[in-house]
Amino acid sequence: MPEHTVTARLRLSGLCFLLQILTIILFAVFARYRPESSPGLCSQQPNCSWRSQDSGLQHPRSRAVHLQVLLGFGLLVAFLSRYGLGSVASSILLVAFAIQWAVLIQGFLYSFLNGKIYVGAQSMVGADFCAAAVLISTGAVLGRVNPIQMLLLTLLGVTLCALNEYVLLGLMGVNDSGGSLTVHTFGAYFGLMVSRILHQPHKDKRKTQQEDTGQQPDVFAVVGTICLWIFWPGFASATTVRNDAEPWVVLNVYFSLAASTLATFVLSPILCEESTVRVVQIQDATLASVAVMGMAGEMLVTPFGALSAGFLAGLIPPLGFRFLTPVLRSRLKIQDACGVHNVHGLPGVLGALLGTLLTALATADAYGGRLELVFPLVAQGSRTVTDQALGQLCALPITLLLATLGGIVTG
């Protein structure tokens, strides 16, 4: 075995050992389980984030989040045959570390009291959301970074992701329960900026020529797409505080998924040279549809709105891969291995704009008792619908700024 291979394996082993020992020590010093009778450390605060509460959390919903991160996101970065099995193994490694690190960082931000972090079931859901954002980021640099670099990317990515969502959800009172901004947009543009800094002209050209697809990646795409359909409604609804807010999220996500799939069969046969639509293309459309529903999922989208938004989101990936990806590669020197810009970034931005529009149109008559669940600050009279809509809109440039600067530093 070559000496450099042995050295790399020893470095990976040593880094995993150090990171695990570090997290064990931090958990021993700071982490404690939250008493079951505790209503949440910030339940009385008007801008309390769902990240700090455990009320209304059901085990099947949290299980759906875990399965979606491991199976859905883990398989979504495996469509390149050259990196298929390796990317799945790396995804499991990143999730294992990201969950531990996210629980600590989010705990310091949301539930740090008397020198201790109080961990509950919702802490794991919040950690899974951060892990999902990091997995999206790794899709932009797949095949160009080694496991050691991926772990370092996870360390910084989780920290910045938790900071971004704390600013948006905890300080600004933004509603982004499904993660249009905090998961999809942040993860995509953070990864794209890392890719830009890592640009190496000759190496990138060689890597591009080696990126092919085959039967094995199609199997990964099939499983990943099915997981999206099965588990994403639970993923999107896991952050709703009460069960009576869940049906809107589930229905909106399903309508969006269905429309985006048909959109794939509208454009892909026209724009692609292949005669049949591949499962990978359906997978991209379904991801785009759930990204666009992230912020608006629990709002009053209506079936018509969910179908329309899903259809538009489904058009983005084929158009993006045909026209935008070559521009990113040739003009901006960004090598986007898994197309996260088309699948997560642009749909996430569209989802933020859709959520802002629906917020501006929200009325007490239309929402009834749900207004307090979806827009608690508006229901309490702390801010107007216009103020809430402006807050939702301002969250977009803040996320882009943190993702861009964080990606540059990390790269």
Side-chain angles (χ1 to χ4, degrees):
M1 183 178 295
E3 183 178 352
H4 67 86
T5 303
V6 175
T7 303
R9 293 175 62 179
L10 291 176
R11 287 177 179 175
L12 176 61
S13 176
L15 180 61
C16 289
F17 177 79
L18 290 176
L19 290 177
Q20 188 59 73
I21 294 299
L22 173 63
T23 53
I24 288 175
I25 293 174
L26 291 175
F27 270 87
V29 175
F30 296 106
R32 300 292 184 272
Y33 284 129
R34 181 177 299 159
E36 293 183 2
S37 59
S38 173
L41 296 179
C42 68
S43 57
Q44 304 301 319
Q45 299 178 14
N47 65 337
C48 179
S49 169
W50 62 266
R51 305 283 189 191
S52 307
Q53 303 182 51
D54 281 330
S55 58
L57 179 70
Q58 294 180 340
H59 176 65
R61 294 165 67 186
S62 61
R63 181 173 57 196
V65 177
H66 300 319
L67 289 172
Q68 180 59 47
V69 171
L70 284 171
L71 293 179
F73 280 104
L75 294 175
L76 295 178
V77 296
F79 80 99
L80 300 177
S81 61
R82 188 167 182 267
Y83 313 120
L85 294 176
S87 63
V88 174
S90 297
S91 296
I92 297 175
L93 170 64
L94 299 188
V95 169
F97 173 64
I99 288 176
Q100 300 177 63
W101 190 246
V103 168
L104 288 170
I105 299 300
Q106 290 177 335
F108 284 120
L109 293 173
Y110 291 110
S111 56
F112 190 64
L113 184 65
N114 297 326
K116 302 297 179 184
I117 295 172
Y118 290 91
V119 179
Q122 199 70 24
S123 303
M124 296 302 296
V125 176
D128 278 326
F129 270 65
C130 278
V134 170
L135 287 179
I136 292 172
S137 300
T138 59
V141 295
L142 183 63
R144 301 166 63 232
V145 294
N146 58 44
I148 296 176
Q149 293 169 321
M150 282 190 175
L151 281 172
L152 297 176
L153 183 150
T154 302
L155 180 71
L156 295 173
V158 166
T159 303
L160 292 169
C161 178
L163 177 62
N164 179 64
E165 69 176 23
Y166 176 70
V167 172
L168 268 56
L169 308 183
L171 300 182
M172 298 176 59
V174 171
N175 184 326
D176 188 26
S177 60
S180 281
L181 289 176
T182 56
V183 175
H184 297 279
T185 303
F186 178 88
Y189 289 101
F190 177 81
L192 289 172
M193 286 299 101
V194 175
S195 179
R196 176 62 184 88
I197 300 301
L198 295 179
H199 171 68
Q200 297 178 2
H202 301 293
K203 186 176 182 180
D204 286 346
K205 183 178 181 180
R206 183 171 63 252
K207 293 286 187 180
T208 301
Q209 295 172 348
Q210 294 174 341
E211 289 175 359
D212 60 334
T213 57
Q215 295 302 318
Q216 175 180 287
D218 274 342
V219 174
F220 287 132
V222 169
V223 178
T225 303
I226 292 175
C227 288
L228 282 174
W229 277 81
I230 295 175
F231 299 119
W232 199 279
F235 183 94
S237 63
T239 61
T240 54
V241 179
R242 299 179 187 175
N243 295 332
D244 53 0
E246 181 177 338
W248 276 6
V249 183
V250 174
L251 292 173
N252 288 333
V253 170
Y254 271 128
F255 282 134
S256 181
L257 283 168
S260 68
T261 301
L262 266 69
T264 305
F265 286 86
V266 171
L267 271 187
S268 292
I270 299 175
L271 297 178
C272 299
E273 298 178 358
E274 299 174 346
S275 57
T276 58
V277 176
R278 299 191 59 189
V279 181
V280 170
Q281 296 166 333
I282 301 176
Q283 171 185 282
D284 292 339
T286 54
L287 270 173
S289 69
V290 296
V292 82
M293 277 292 114
M295 181 180 290
E298 63 177 331
M299 300 180 187
L300 187 57
V301 183
T302 73
F304 161 77
L307 288 171
S308 300
F311 185 77
L312 290 175
L315 298 176
I316 294 176
L319 289 172
F321 282 111
R322 179 62 183 274
F323 300 108
L324 293 180
T325 299
V327 175
L328 289 178
R329 183 182 296 119
S330 61
R331 301 282 183 86
L332 301 181
K333 311 303 180 184
I334 296 177
Q335 189 72 29
D336 187 3
C338 291
V340 298
H341 183 245
N342 308 318
V343 177
H344 298 279
L346 291 178
V349 172
L350 178 61
L353 297 177
L354 175 62
T356 300
L357 175 62
L358 293 173
T359 302
L361 298 176
T363 63
D365 293 337
Y367 279 78
R370 289 176 181 262
L371 186 66
E372 185 177 359
L373 300 177
V374 181
F375 303 113
L377 297 179
V378 175
Q380 296 166 9
S382 300
R383 62 174 60 166
T384 64
V385 171
T386 302
D387 293 335
Q388 182 69 36
L390 289 175
Q392 303 280 134
L393 183 61
C394 291
L396 176 58
I398 291 175
T399 298
L400 292 175
L401 179 64
L402 284 174
T404 301
L405 295 180
I408 291 173
V409 172
T410 302

